[in-house]
Each structure stands twice: as structure tokens, then as C-alpha cells.
Amino acid sequence: MLLTQRLPEPYRPEAAIVAQRLTSLGQALDWVAVARVAAPWVQAVRDNPPPFWAMESLLKEYPISSAEGLALMRLAEALLRVPDAETAIALTADQLGRADFEGSSDKVISRLSSTAIALSKHFLPTVGDKTGEPGLLAKLGARTVVAATLRAVQLLGRQFVLGQTMAEGMSEAVSAKKKTPNLRYSYDMLGEGSRTDADALNHLKSYQNAIAAIATTSSPTRACEDNDGISIKLSALHPRYEYAQVDRVLAELVPRVWGLCEQAARANINLTIDAEEVDRLELSLAVFEALLAKVAEQCPQWRGFGLAMQSYQTNAQELVQHVIALARQYKLRLMCRLVKGAYWDAEIKRAQELGLPHYPVFTHKHHTDVSYLACAKALLESPDALYPQFASHNAATIAAILQMAEKTGSPFELQRLHGMGEGIHDEVLKNPQIACRVYAPVGAHKDLLAYLVRRLLENGANSSFVHQLADETLPVAELLVSPLRQEPHPSLPLPLALFGTQRPNSAGLDLTVPAMRDSLLAAYASTQVPSVPVFDAKLVSGPLSISTSSYKTWSKIPVTERAATLRQSADALQTQLPQFCALLVKEAFKTWNDAISEVREAIDFLRYYAAQAEAIMQPQTLPGKEGNTMLGITGESNELFLTGRGAWVCISPWNFPLAIFTGQIAAALVTGNTVLAKPAEQTPGVALAMVKLMHAAGVPEGALQLLHGPGETVGAALVAAPGVAGVVFTGSTQVAKTINRTLAAKDGPIVPLIAETGGINAMLVDSTALPEQVCDVVMQSAFRSAGQRCSALRLLCLHEEIADHVIEMICGAARELVVGDPADLATDLGPVIDAEAFAGIQQQLQRLDVEAKRLPAQSGKGQAATSKVANLIAPQAYEVANISDLKQEIFGPVLHIVRWTSDPLKVIEQINGLGYGLTIGIQTRIDSRAQALAHAAHIGNVYINRNQIGAVVGVQPFGGEGLSGTGPKAGGPHYLYRFCAEQTITINTTAAGGNAALLAG
Ligand SMILES: Cc1cc2nc3c(=O)[nH]c(=O)nc-3n(C[C@H](O)[C@H](O)[C@H](O)COP(=O)(O)OP(=O)(O)OC[C@H]3O[C@@H](n4cnc5c(N)ncnc54)[C@H](O)[C@@H]3O)c2cc1C
């Protein structure tokens, strides 16, 4: 099912949107008056600084931009979850050691160990209690600093959690209300988004229990807004809360949330759906509307349902208008929270990664503020539809809201996060007419981490109000300066300008945006895979002689002109991205996301090699200059030239039939060589389309010829043919060796070979890693593209202490993956490339069934799908006893898992021992360990704390060592040199009688 888009496309130019927001605000605000109201609040907070252990104080002393602040954040994120003492000690030593906690900064250690321990005695359990994990604390007790750090982190966490249980949280709330009667609470159950259905059901249970608990204190007769309420995250309630899974989400998630709504309506309490990432917004709105319809039908008297809206989104105002219209349409009064937004950094990164035309969020802080105020105005003007809840810790924002609310006279409440902005809110709440709801996280310390880091980042950002409030050097007037102005340009380069003026980034698509998605679906309907005639291997001498003679002219063309044809090809490919994606889906069974990434990679190769060739192929005078002085012996000139070598054979694989195919031929052509391209026999159609595109862009037909046919015949004949100047090959190690032997056996010049081959790629995970993050990267690395990437994860090495938990999560998440027709947007894994590959993998699975322990990674649905689409293999996982049990790469969605203990360097040694060296993932929060492991690994591409696939051209040059290839790395600065011959020309400039230049000087 495809959703109709409710809001405008989120990727639009920022300046025009801000101008519109300013216009909609008009003269609504008198900022001088706003600042006048807010200034005494600020002064009062500055006059009564919070205690040392409060977040504001810590961040003031150790900002996250400093090594110390970063160390504290890292520790806060990871330390509490580390189950084993050795690793906890290593993590603490690493983080405290890398920051400057010596000399004048010694205060951190002394304060952590004295103040934190002393304070924590009041709050925290000591050795041997439920939460403190006895073994760990007891062992760490010997190391005072480590123990102090652990306690300090727990203390820090406690700043933000109202209680570890609802009972504890509610009793805290009762005490706080005694002090400040105009407080209300919205409880939030801590925890990461669900990766498995079991997680989702656990979250559901905890929301149900929380609502039941809140219901005991709520009153059916009081206005709903006067009761405490609950905030829920939809991503916690479904393991695949993603746009692509819309059918499942509507069928499975809506009933779960509806149950909670009914419960909340019966208790007459507010239930707010938290706002999450922009790419889930349309999906959230679909869920929200489905629920609204039910509320309108079954409990229209309930006035507590609502959602949170983020003003940093460029679509915020349209969202507000949409929700107001929905409330009126369903004749409901909603309670809606306006926030600025908590995922700004993640939104920026995603837009950059996807190569989107604009950011979906504002890039200047004051634009977010302008948007917030414009949205607030719209909310206050619609009291029939909404009861607005303004969540902010910013004194100026709050004062501006109060000013606008006074004019409209509409009811509203303020909101703040527990542990944040208390000082300002205390000042504001001296007015008993104003109510404030506290967002109150409840949960165990171990579930606090992600939430805590969000808050640390939020408070630590230089632009954050809370951060600036703590900076007493910043004058109050500056802190409260009016945001009501517009910047003409974004504060960051747009995603397409990330690589500077050297080359434009390739543009991608966001499949959640109909206009972007529709172009792909239209192309799919109209694109045919061309049939490509098979070349007769006996006739290779013909194309070879064309190639050799074409070399004579093509190599003489200036490099700038050759580069221009590549750039033209890139532009054409960018324009035809939907058609090439469709071809990739049809011929290579790529999923849509994989297809987009692949076309973008091909575009990047073309542009990157064009720029590289222009840079390296300029004549270079040697030995060069120092300042203005020419170095070297007088009376002679020396120049170094790079030239092409001749006719290259380019043999590419089916798993990247466009990107690798294009990368190889672009590199050869731009350096002045001619090309005989032999694509994989499974994917000649994509290759033919690309060759045609390049011919149309100006590459002569003789310089680029396509010879389609089996590797054993056409490939072998090309490699063996006399006169070939070089071979570039991507494929199996075995075939690379055969090619190498053939070339070595030939008479004549020694022919260079660039071989990029496979790998048994491992990922090492220690016990500091976040299991959810590990699970995400394993799903992507092992199963994306049905495991048919040379970079794919094959061997996951898990620390014994976390292995059971992580394996359970991985298997649960793998069971949620959708296997099926790749043209279906919901599909995660399409079929493997052909029946032969399928049979080969099945054979390996049969072997593994005997030799290893099969893990339950496959769902019944996945199994059922395999009977409908040919060559489908659902995700597979096996536990093996030893790393050395892996003898060869299985090129499919098959993951091996092994457990390890003690020294992680020993694990790396064993991985090195496999002989392959393509990619490795390292998951650890111990930075020094990550570095040591990376340098110990004889592996070409090392990825720390991320997935290990999807290398970006010019950013992560790709290629391995050992059994994984010869290098140089594709998409890197050294690649083109291997395609070139070098020539120096030395001229004796004194030959004609004497050294005129010397005498003249
Ligand atoms: C009760 C409550 C509930 C919340 N629920 C949610 C929720 O459901 N979803 C959610 O996402 N957040 C939620 N938050 C978090 C909220 O988004 C942040 O607390 C809020 O952004 C802080 O705003 P401020 O006015 O206190 O601080 P300020 O410091 O005035 O503003 C910070 C905001 O500016 C943005 N910003 C910083 N730099 C830039 C820049 N260069 N360009 C553009 N914008 C920038 C930040 O991303 C942030 O949104 C909630 C907060 C509260 C208080």
C-alpha cells in the first residue's frame, strides 16, 4: 500500500520557508517586551547556580566539545551496561585517560571520586544490591576512580529519571507537586526502539501498566489536562516502524496503540505520541489518523489524545495546520505538544547520506525558533481544535509564548523535561495561573543510556539555550536576542555540495516521498532489460585490434576532454537514475534502496575519476621548486608524464553490475586507455545500457567495446589475448588466481592485474557495544543485498558476556526482515542472483546444519515467501565454535556467529589467520581498543561502530589485501596510477653551446 502524502515534500529551500514563517508571525510579537520579561528569570537562575552534579554544571565545567566532556558523555553512554569488570575498567581507563584530567584539571578526578561518592551514598545503593551488579562494583571497588566514575554516571543518569519504577516515579511526582502545585506529569517509559516483536510486546505491557498506575491517581471529573498523562513512542511498539512496512504497521501497530488509547480515554488522561525522525512522519500521521477515526467513533468525549510536533522541521507549520484540520474534521479536541526537536544531528546526517536536495530541518538555530513561534501562534489561534502544550526550556521562547497567549486568551500549558530547565520554569511558575507538565522518564538505569546521551547532546550544543544560560560570560541581552530574522543561506553545505567544488555529490532519492518514489515506479513500468548478443570467444582478436588502434587517438586527447566525457556520462546517468534503478531491479534483483545506492556510486566514480585524472595527469617538473627556487642541476629540464598503457580488459561481477562495471571502465578510459568490457553473464543488460550512455556522452565506440559472454570462454580469451595492456577484475579469488596464472604464462610484456576479490568479513563486538546498534548494523551488513556484497559480514564475533542477549535480538530482528520480490518496496531481501548460486548456498547450508548450531533467524513468513519467488533465501544464522571453522566465503544471507572472551587482539589474530583482508567491523566504546584492533587487522576497510558495507567513492576507498585483492583501492586517490605508464623527459638545455639561462641569471 502506498500512502497519500499529507504534507509538502520536506526537502525544500530553507530561506523561502523562513520568509513565509516570518510573514505568518507578522507583528504578533513585541520582542523588547519578551526580553524584558525573560531577563529576570535568567538572572535569578544565574544568581542561584545549580549544584555541581546537575547536568548544567557538569556541562559548564566540561563542555562536550572538550576531551573531558566527551569522555564523560562516552562513559555515561556505555559504562552502566558493561557486564564484565575487566571491560568496565578498560573503558573507564580509556576515557578518563584520553582527557586532560591531570594537573589543573585534576578536579574532575577528585570531584568524581570525592563529591560523587559522597553524594551518591545518599542516592545510590551500595555493593550487593539489585541495580549495582554486585560482582562489578565489588571488583571495581579496588579501583577507586573507576568506582567513582560508575557512581558519578549513575548519579548523572538519576538527574533525568524520575524513578526506576512507576511507583517510585509517582511518589517523586507527589513530593514535587506538594512544592509546586501547578505541576503535571507525562510519564515516559525508557527503552530503545524495538528490534524484535518480543521487545515491542514488552514495551506494550509496560505502557499498559503505566497507564493503569496513572489511572489510580487521575480523576474522571477533572479536566483531562489537569490529570497526569503518558507519552509513547511508536517505534517502541513495533519492530519495523518504517515507511516501507506501512501495511504491517497499519495492521499490527494501530490495534496495539488503540488498546492504549482506550485505556487512557477510560482513565481520562492525556496520551501523546512522541515525535521521531522525519522519514517516519507521514507514517505517524497515517497511524494517527487511523486512531483519530476510532477515537471519534468510540470515545468522542475524550479530550486527551494528541501528538508531538517538531518545529525544526521545514514542514512544521504545515503539520500544525494539518493536525488542526484533522481535529476539526473528526470533531475532537486534541492535546498537542510543540517541541523544537531532538534528532537534529541525525536528520542532517541522513540527508547528507542520501544525497537529498535540501535538509528536512532548518540549519540555523534561530530559524527553528522562528518556526516554533509561528507554530505556537497557529496553535494558540485554534483553541477549538487543540490544547497546546509548549515544551521548551528557553526563557525567551517561554516569554514569547506567554505574550502571544495573553493576546489570544487561549488555554495552554508549558512543558519541560525532568532534570532540565527547572530554574527557569520555577521562576515562570511563580505565576499560579500557569501550569507546567514535566516529561518524566521512568525505567532502570541500564535503559537510560540513549535518552541520556540525547539530553547530553541537546544541552551540550553551543547553540542550546540551557548551555548558553550556564555561560555567565554571555550577557543576558545576547542570550535573549530576537530570533526573528532570516539568513539567506543554510549554515551547512547542502548534501549535493558536500565534496566542494571538485565534484558534485550524486543526488539520491527518499522513498518515503511520493514524487521521488513515483519516478522509480514509472520507470519500472516502462523499462525493458535489453537483450545482448553473446560474443564468440574465438573472435576476440577483432575487437582487440580495434581497441589497440583506437588507443592511438583516444590517448592523445587531452585529459580534460576525456574527463569531460566522464562528467557528461555522470550527468546523463543522474538524469536517467530511475531507468537504471529499474534495470537493476529487473535484471540483478536489487531492492530499490540498493539500486539507488548503486546508481549513485557509478555517478560518483565517473566524477571522482574525472577530477583525479585531471589532477595527476598534468606534467610534473622534477625535482620541483622550493619557494620560488627551482631545485636540481642547472642546464637541464626534467618532466614526468603519466600516460595510458593501451587496451585494458575490464571484467566485472553481477553483484554491482553498474557501479563496479562503470568504475573499472571510467578509470581505464580517463587515463587514456581503451577498454574491452566483459560484464558478468547474468547482467549484460545493465552493462549495455551504460556503454550506450557513455558512447552518447562522447566516448568513441572503438575506445569502449562491450563483449558479453561467459567468463570461461570470452573472459578467458580476452585475458589470454596478446597485446592486452592490463586487466582489471572483480570477482572470486579463485578466478583472480586463474587470470593471474594466464597473464604470467604469456610471452611479451608483463601485464598488470588489478584484482578485487572476496572476503570472510568479520565484525568484532565487545561488551561496551550497544546491543541495539549491533543488531542494526548486523542486519544491514549481513543481510542487505541478500548478503551478496563482497564487503558483507560473514562472521560475527561476540563477547561471551553479551552473546546470548545479542544473538536473541539478532535472530528476532532477522525474523522481521521481509524476503520477496525486489520490486516490492517492502522487500528487504530479494532473490540470490541465479539458480546456480541458490543451489551452491543450499549445499553450504546443508553442511552447516551438520557442522554448526542453527539459530532461529528465519520466520515462517520468510520461509513461505521462498516458495513463491525463485531463488529466495531467508536470512540464516549459525553459531560456530571457532573462527577457523570458516573455510570459505558463502556469498548469500548466511551469518556465522562465534563467541570470544579475554583478549580481543587474539581474535583479530585469528581473523587475520583466515587470509582474507577485505572489511572488518569493530564495535566498542573503548577508543584506544578500537584503534589498536584496527591497526592490528590486515584488512583493507575497517569500520568502527557502524555497518561495514556501502563504501563511498572518494571517502572510503574500497579494496582489500591478502586473498581479498591486489589493491589499489577503487574510488581512492591511488587507483588511477595503476592504469598509467610513466615517462620522464629530460632535456639538456645547454646542448646548443652553453647554459644561457645560468649566464642570463
Ligand atoms: C516535554 C517535552 C517533550 C519532548 N518530546 C519530544 C518529542 O516527542 N520529540 C522530539 O524530537 N523532541 C522532544 N523533546 C525534546 C525537545 O525537542 C528538546 O528538548 C528541545 O528541542 C529543546 O528546546 P529548547 O527550546 O528547550 O532549547 P533551545 O536551545 O532554544 O533549542 C534547541 C533546539 O534548536 C535546534 N537547533 C540547534 N542548532 C540548530 C541549528 N543550527 N539549526 C536549526 N536548529 C538547531 C535543536 O535541534 C533543538 O531542537 C521534548 C521536550 C520536552 C520538554
Side-chain angles (χ1 to χ4, degrees):
M1 184 222 243
L2 295 176
L3 291 176
T4 329
Q5 192 164 355
R6 289 165 166 82
L7 303 177
E9 186 173 315
Y11 312 109
R12 293 175 290 145
E14 179 170 356
I17 298 171
V18 177
Q20 194 278 327
R21 302 306 183 243
L22 285 167
T23 310
S24 77
L25 266 174
Q27 302 303 312
L29 281 164
D30 169 359
W31 200 266
V32 175
V34 166
R36 203 182 313 122
V37 169
W41 302 338
V42 169
Q43 204 48 57
V45 174
R46 284 189 169 175
D47 290 344
N48 297 293
F52 154 71
W53 67 87
M55 162 71 77
E56 288 92 332
S57 317
L58 270 180
L59 284 168
K60 185 172 151 195
E61 203 145 3
Y62 313 113
I64 53 168
S65 53
S66 70
E68 294 78 18
L70 202 60
L72 285 180
M73 188 174 92
R74 295 276 178 83
L75 284 166
E77 192 267 340
L79 189 58
L80 294 181
R81 69 165 168 264
V82 178
D84 58 306
E86 263 116 311
T87 314
I89 291 169
L91 173 67
T92 312
D94 176 72
Q95 289 301 333
L96 292 185
R98 70 185 41 249
D100 180 17
F101 288 134
E102 303 295 329
S104 61
S105 302
D106 194 32
K107 46 196 183 222
V108 175
I109 291 290
S110 59
R111 287 179 110 164
L112 284 177
S113 30
S114 55
T115 320
I117 285 181
L119 286 169
S120 62
K121 278 196 180 135
H122 297 294
F123 300 120
L124 291 168
T126 43
V127 178
D129 83 338
K130 292 189 289 296
T131 54
E133 282 156 75
L136 179 59
L137 272 183
K139 197 154 179 188
L140 293 184
R143 309 278 294 268
T144 315
V145 171
V146 179
T149 310
L150 192 66
R151 285 170 172 276
V153 169
Q154 285 176 322
L155 205 62
L156 193 61
R158 207 179 173 284
Q159 291 292 304
F160 291 100
V161 182
L162 194 64
Q164 300 211 43
T165 60
M166 273 303 283
E168 219 177 281
M170 287 170 69
S171 120
E172 288 283 329
V174 169
S175 319
K177 283 182 193 180
K178 277 191 192 136
K179 202 176 117 213
T180 317
N182 39 352
L183 280 187
R184 303 153 176 181
Y185 280 79
S186 183
Y187 295 93
D188 158 59
M189 302 294 105
L190 282 175
E192 298 278 336
S194 294
R195 268 58 178 188
T196 68
D197 209 40
D199 284 348
L201 294 173
N202 282 339
H203 280 123
L204 181 64
K205 190 103 208 108
S206 89
Y207 284 140
Q208 286 164 344
N209 292 341
I211 297 176
I214 301 163
T216 59
T217 62
S218 68
S219 153
T221 51
R222 228 181 355 223
C224 186
E225 47 272 27
D226 291 333
N227 284 328
D228 290 343
I230 187 154
S231 296
I232 63 167
K233 280 200 173 45
L234 296 185
S235 62
L237 290 168
H238 198 276
R240 298 301 306 274
Y241 182 56
E242 299 160 29
Y243 190 98
Q245 306 302 326
V246 57
D247 292 336
R248 276 191 70 188
V249 167
L250 291 178
E252 296 165 13
L253 174 67
V254 170
R256 286 178 191 178
V257 188
W258 172 239
L260 298 176
C261 288
E262 278 184 309
Q263 217 188 330
R266 275 199 301 277
N268 187 34
I269 66 168
N270 171 207
L271 181 148
T272 307
I273 296 178
D274 279 347
E276 301 189 60
E277 294 85 351
V278 173
D279 62 329
R280 289 168 158 168
L281 179 58
E282 289 284 339
L283 182 60
S284 302
L285 290 178
V287 171
F288 186 62
E289 196 168 341
L291 293 165
L292 274 188
K294 283 175 172 284
V295 173
E297 195 186 301
Q298 298 187 38
C299 36
Q301 77 293 347
W302 182 36
R303 291 162 68 82
F305 187 41
L307 83 176
M309 301 179 278
Q310 300 154 322
S311 79
Y312 66 17
Q313 288 199 29
T314 52
N315 262 342
Q317 199 162 345
E318 289 82 356
L319 171 62
V320 166
Q321 296 300 353
H322 175 73
V323 174
I324 292 170
L326 281 178
R328 289 181 180 147
Q329 179 190 336
Y330 288 97
K331 301 194 172 35
L332 293 170
R333 200 287 313 259
L334 305 174
M335 287 176 75
C336 286
R337 173 194 306 150
L338 185 64
V339 300
K340 292 183 185 167
Y343 308 91
W344 186 81
D345 51 333
E347 298 294 358
I348 296 288
K349 186 160 195 272
R350 177 176 174 274
Q352 292 186 346
E353 280 171 355
L354 291 185
L356 299 174
H358 294 277
Y359 293 108
V361 292
F362 297 109
T363 70
H364 293 278
K365 160 74 169 69
H366 62 276
H367 288 175
T368 294
D369 289 342
V370 167
S371 168
Y372 191 91
L373 297 170
C375 292
K377 177 169 176 280
L379 290 171
L380 287 166
E381 285 169 355
S382 314
D384 62 310
L386 293 171
Y387 175 81
Q389 305 168 298
F390 297 111
S392 174
H393 314 101
N394 182 324
T397 306
I398 296 171
I401 299 286
L402 297 189
Q403 191 184 88
M404 289 194 286
E406 201 177 346
K407 278 190 208 152
T408 59
S410 318
F412 72 97
E413 70 181 20
L414 298 178
Q415 295 197 339
R416 70 168 171 83
L417 297 173
H418 173 66
M420 272 181 69
E422 210 167 329
I424 294 287
H425 277 261
D426 281 351
E427 294 301 313
V428 179
L429 295 190
K430 284 181 180 160
N431 177 349
Q433 304 303 318
I434 300 172
C436 173
R437 192 178 302 270
V438 180
Y439 186 95
V442 170
H445 280 143
K446 70 172 179 39
D447 291 327
L448 163 73
L449 311 168
Y451 178 83
L452 179 58
V453 167
R454 273 281 119 225
R455 299 289 82 87
L456 283 166
L457 281 170
E458 181 178 327
N459 287 285
N462 285 338
S463 60
S464 138
F465 180 85
V466 172
H467 182 91
Q468 295 185 349
L469 178 65
D471 176 5
E472 276 154 25
T473 62
L474 191 74
V476 175
E478 216 171 299
L479 183 64
L480 300 175
V481 75
S482 167
L484 304 176
R485 62 186 196 283
Q486 121 128 282
E487 309 287 339
H489 303 294
S491 73
L492 300 159
L494 288 174
L496 299 188
L498 281 183
F499 303 124
T501 49
Q502 191 201 25
R503 66 181 167 111
N505 189 8
S506 54
L509 300 176
D510 177 349
L511 290 176
T512 69
V513 174
M516 294 186 169
R517 189 178 59 215
D518 289 351
S519 64
L520 295 179
L521 301 183
Y524 187 76
S526 62
T527 303
Q528 301 286 333
V529 179
S531 76
V532 188
V534 175
F535 186 79
D536 183 346
K538 294 198 275 309
L539 305 178
V540 291
S541 60
L544 185 57
S545 85
I546 295 173
S547 202
T548 315
S549 71
S550 181
Y551 170 72
K552 292 184 189 125
T553 44
W554 176 247
S555 60
K556 299 288 177 302
I557 290 176
V559 62
T560 47
E561 282 179 37
R562 292 196 303 262
T565 60
L566 259 59
R567 291 196 175 98
Q568 220 163 316
S569 304
D571 294 348
L573 188 53
Q574 183 73 70
T575 313
Q576 295 174 47
L577 178 137
Q579 290 73 21
F580 273 86
C581 285
L583 265 182
L584 287 165
V585 173
K586 287 191 171 182
E587 190 178 43
F589 313 120
K590 295 256 163 180
T591 58
W592 286 108
N593 274 320
D594 282 349
I596 296 168
S597 309
E598 175 152 12
V599 178
R600 291 189 62 207
E601 190 179 350
I603 295 168
D604 288 339
F605 271 133
L606 289 160
R607 290 180 178 152
Y608 179 74
Y609 290 145
Q612 285 288 312
E614 283 176 341
I616 69 168
M617 296 196 85
Q618 301 304 327
Q620 204 181 334
T621 302
L622 295 174
K625 266 184 172 179
E626 203 170 77
N628 284 330
T629 313
M630 286 300 294
L631 302 174
I633 299 167
T634 182
E636 71 178 31
S637 78
N638 294 285
E639 277 195 309
L640 174 68
F641 296 85
L642 295 184
T643 63
R645 287 174 174 272
W648 275 68
V649 172
C650 300
I651 304 178
S652 51
W654 49 260
N655 65 337
F656 284 93
L658 182 66
I660 295 181
F661 178 79
T662 305
Q664 291 179 348
I665 61 182
L669 286 169
V670 78
T671 41
N673 301 286
T674 52
V675 168
L676 297 152
K678 212 285 303 163
E681 49 265 46
Q682 293 87 341
T683 52
V686 175
L688 179 64
M690 189 61 204
V691 166
K692 281 187 174 167
L693 180 147
M694 292 187 79
H695 287 159
V699 176
E701 292 194 5
L704 173 59
Q705 299 175 78
L706 185 74
L707 282 74
H708 162 47
E712 298 81 4
T713 54
V714 177
L718 282 169
V719 170
V724 165
V727 176
V728 52
F729 168 78
T730 303
S732 72
T733 311
Q734 193 192 345
V735 173
K737 283 185 173 171
T738 309
I739 293 175
N740 199 20
R741 284 190 199 105
T742 308
L743 293 177
K746 280 207 280 193
D747 281 337
I750 294 170
V751 179
L753 167 66
I754 304 172
E756 216 184 293
T757 54
I760 297 183
N761 306 308
M763 179 183 290
L764 186 148
V765 180
D766 78 7
S767 60
T768 62
L770 180 66
E772 285 79 4
Q773 225 170 53
V774 173
C775 179
D776 292 348
V777 299
V778 168
M779 290 306 109
Q780 295 156 9
S781 304
F783 301 131
R784 199 167 157 184
S785 311
Q788 300 173 109
R789 291 173 180 246
C790 19
S791 54
L793 169 64
R794 311 293 178 198
L795 172 65
L796 178 64
C797 308
L798 290 174
H799 190 275
E800 174 69 50
E801 292 279 351
I802 56 165
D804 286 342
H805 176 50
V806 175
I807 288 174
E808 197 183 324
M809 198 183 288
I810 285 173
C811 289
R815 289 195 296 271
E816 297 298 329
L817 294 174
V818 179
V819 288
D821 178 357
D824 184 342
L825 288 159
T827 295
D828 297 300
L829 281 82
V832 296
I833 189 70
D834 58 16
E836 194 184 331
F838 179 82
I841 298 168
Q842 292 299 346
Q843 227 172 32
Q844 298 279 10
L845 294 179
Q846 280 163 17
R847 175 182 62 78
L848 281 169
D849 278 338
V850 176
E851 292 174 4
K853 177 177 160 197
R854 181 187 265 275
L855 298 169
Q858 194 179 10
S859 71
K861 251 192 257 170
Q863 186 56 42
T866 56
S867 59
K868 292 192 199 114
V869 179
N871 305 329
L872 268 188
I873 300 180
Q876 309 288 328
Y878 289 86
E879 188 168 341
V880 294
N882 301 300
I883 290 175
S884 57
D885 291 351
L886 268 78
K887 302 284 183 234
Q888 68 188 96
E889 180 185 31
I890 303 178
F891 213 64
V894 184
L895 177 68
H896 303 77
I897 301 179
V898 69
R899 297 168 190 245
W900 63 274
T901 49
S902 74
D903 186 358
L905 274 169
K906 294 244 158 59
V907 182
I908 295 289
E909 270 169 33
Q910 291 175 52
I911 293 168
N912 284 340
L914 295 172
Y916 289 90
L918 194 52
T919 71
I920 186 167
I922 297 171
Q923 303 282 330
T924 177
R925 294 293 190 268
I926 305 174
D927 295 342
S928 56
R929 174 178 284 181
Q931 287 298 325
L933 297 178
H935 291 296
H938 297 301
I939 288 171
N941 286 63
V942 181
Y943 297 96
I944 298 171
N945 294 333
R946 52 154 281 174
N947 68 29
Q948 61 197 88
I949 56 167
V952 176
V953 172
V955 180
Q956 293 118 7
F958 186 76
E961 56 183 85
L963 292 171
S964 296
T966 59
K969 283 172 174 291
H974 308 300
Y975 193 61
L976 294 186
Y977 289 106
R978 189 68 68 89
F979 288 84
C980 297
E982 293 179 286
Q983 184 179 48
T984 56
I985 299 182
T986 298
I987 302 172
N988 174 7
T989 54
T990 67
N995 194 339
L998 186 64
L999 292 168

